[in-house]
Amino acid sequence: MSFSKESPIVRYAYGVAGALLLGGTAFSIATGPVGAQTAQNAPSAMAPRPGAPMSFADLTARLQPAVVNISTKQRIAVKAQTDPMAQFFRQFGGQEPDGQDQSNGSQPTTREAGSLGSGFIISPDGYIVTNNHLIQGAEGKGVVDSVAVTLTSGKEYSARIIGRDLPSDLALLKIDGANLPYVQWGDSTRARVGDWVLAIGDPYGVGSTVTAGIISALHRGITGFGAYDRYIQTDASINMGNSGGPMFDLNGNVIGINSALISPTGASVGIGLAIPAELAQPVIETLRRGQQPSRGYLGVGLQPLQDDDTAAALGLKKGSGELVNSVQPGDPAALAGIRQGDVIVRVGGQAVTSEQTVSYLIANSPVGSRVPVNIIRNGRPQTVAVVVGQRPSEEALAKAAGGGDANNDGNFGNGVTAPATRALGLSLQPLTPGAVQALSLPPGTHGVVITAIDSNSDASDKGLRRGDVIISVNQALVTTPPQVAAAVSEARATGRMSVLLLVKRGTAPERFVGINLASR
């Protein structure tokens, strides 16, 4: 399955006729005796909501003029192709075709690239909301050369970029106009699963298109981390070109910005995702003031406890918090005493869940505020006070996180395999200075290196491979294979069904991996 913001063209048939034909008719499968619990879909519980439309035509006629097509252009450098005739021209003194010879300092070959998407006008003087990924430059660097906005009337404007925000994938544009059709924000916090929504945009550049559906889910996460991983999910058809377009409620207010889809094919299969207005509107208003959004920052790497073995190794239930796999020195978490291996379960009195992540709770905490953070350390609950910091730029965060992934697994010989490590399906040997260099590890890294792995083991299933370095087992540092063996034996003796490994691969951040002891 892929998460895609762009997808190949495909015909997609979406029918709401059956639902519309029901109109306000209520039905019941069964009713019970007087005084008994009432079925969820009993007539008394299924009264039709007033105003359910038989048609979206009037609503569409009002809203569609405020939704625009956005097209961009950018010249990007391309790798020069060798012309088989170039040698011939040189040999006989002829002139080579333009752009073929770049050896004497001529301009590099470029081509024009572009993107198509949607947006919507939020003021009569021409402020327009869209997605950042539409106006972002090639390879995520800078911005495109030009942005054009086309209204449903066919009138085209040149737009300038007022501001953009990478974490939220939002951008604000401006065209020079007056008395333009515009739409207002709605309150996405009042949206409910099952509510009708309209999506308007320009999929595949075919022209302004309206689709209808319901809200399928709220606070849907697709990455498991980040302050903006909280989408409105809808079955209204969303495709390439819908990005940046509005999602409307039946009052005609914008409750979301269509931004992504989940699909095994890259085309709509009824799982479209929109950024909720409650998150988007503050960002857009900040950009409109010429400022950048301010977000809270903790300075930790996190893993959700969504793996049974990792949770079991910590003695916790699956989904009961987020595991700290790294702490940035000098940042708010480190200053508050949070450590690698802590599990954060509450932030500011609010429980950490898949819908309410640590990143979301901290990002929405005022910078400089003092926030209580509840953690579990070595099975014991504790509370620390964190002074929320200012989130650095995306470039600074990427640099601090590293991001390398060593493909060189080195040459380690046969390794030293202790009996208990065979239970994990691993062959291990101490990490030497030579291995540190061969594996592109940071200087000073300590642990044991995996020299071989049983392809049928749980460790292999969890993604471990030759060249990975085990730093700790059940949060106890290890530097020799016997120490790993002892930690595994101790876990078995205490009745544990899994062990928790802290693993380092190349320059990538460290991560915890739970390995099932009963799988072999």
Side-chain angles (χ1 to χ4, degrees), residues 188-201:
S188 58
T189 64
R190 302 184 66 180
R192 302 170 64 203
V193 173
D195 282 349
W196 281 105
V197 290
L198 290 185
I200 304 181

Side-chain angles (χ1 to χ4, degrees), residues 227 293-300 330-338 344 346-350 358-373 384-392:
S294 175
R295 299 182 178 90
Y297 176 69
L298 199 55
V300 294
D331 279 349
L335 296 176
I338 292 176
I344 300 177
R346 299 181 76 85
V347 175
Q350 299 186 67
V358 173
S359 297
Y360 171 77
L361 293 170
I362 289 293
N364 288 280
S365 300
V367 174
S369 63
R370 194 175 181 86
V371 176
V373 176
V384 297
V386 174
V387 177
V388 178
Q390 169 70 50
R391 180 182 172 89

Side-chain angles (χ1 to χ4, degrees), residues 407-426:
N407 292 315
N408 176 21
D409 58 11
N411 181 14
F412 308 106
N414 296 323
V416 178
T417 308
T421 57
R422 289 197 188 100
L424 298 179
L426 304 174

Side-chain angles (χ1 to χ4, degrees), residues 57-290:
D58 291 340
L59 193 59
T60 299
R62 283 195 296 118
L63 303 175
Q64 203 165 17
V67 183
V68 301
N69 166 275
I70 293 175
S71 59
T72 70
K73 292 181 180 179
Q74 180 184 22
R75 296 211 66 84
I76 60 174
V78 295
K79 187 176 181 180
Q81 300 295 318
T82 303
D83 186 348
M85 296 301 292
Q87 180 63 34
F88 174 83
F89 283 115
R90 282 195 295 268
Q91 183 177 353
F92 293 99
Q95 185 176 359
E96 295 185 30
D98 291 342
Q100 291 296 329
D101 184 9
Q102 297 182 21
S103 59
N104 10 358
S106 61
Q107 291 295 322
T109 303
T110 64
R111 67 175 176 85
E112 188 175 84
S115 63
L116 290 173
S118 305
F120 56 97
I121 306 172
I122 59 170
S123 68
D125 58 345
Y127 281 97
I128 297 171
V129 176
T130 190
N131 281 135
N132 174 68
H133 70 260
L134 291 178
I135 54 96
Q136 187 167 260
E139 299 179 356
K141 299 176 181 177
V143 296
V144 295
D145 297 331
S146 64
V147 182
V149 169
T150 306
L151 276 59
T152 53
S153 64
K155 189 171 183 179
E156 185 172 317
Y157 294 82
S158 176
R160 61 185 184 274
I161 300 170
I162 299 300
R164 63 193 189 100
D165 183 55
L166 272 68
S168 62
D169 191 25
L170 293 170
L172 182 66
L173 311 178
K174 180 70 169 65
I175 60 176
D176 293 327
N179 299 318
L180 294 169
Y182 69 98
V183 290
Q184 296 178 327
W185 296 101
D187 185 359
S188 58
T189 64
R190 302 184 66 180
R192 302 170 64 203
V193 173
D195 282 349
W196 281 105
V197 290
L198 290 185
I200 304 181
D202 191 354
Y204 305 118
V206 300
S208 184
T209 301
V210 182
T211 58
I214 63 169
I215 294 176
S216 306
L218 295 169
H219 305 158
R220 176 68 73 207
I222 59 176
T223 64
F225 60 89
Y228 293 91
D229 192 39
R230 285 166 62 91
Y231 294 91
I232 299 174
Q233 180 184 326
T234 180
D235 62 357
S237 186
I238 293 176
N239 281 294
M240 172 182 168
N242 278 107
S243 286
M247 171 186 284
F248 293 105
D249 62 19
L250 291 193
N251 293 318
N253 294 318
V254 178
I255 61 167
I257 301 173
N258 304 318
S259 299
L261 61 98
I262 297 175
S263 171
T265 64
S268 175
V269 292
I271 309 178
L273 301 165
I275 302 169
E278 67 200 83
L279 300 182
Q281 186 177 2
V283 172
I284 295 300
E285 293 304 321
T286 301
L287 295 177
R288 193 169 176 176
R289 294 193 299 268

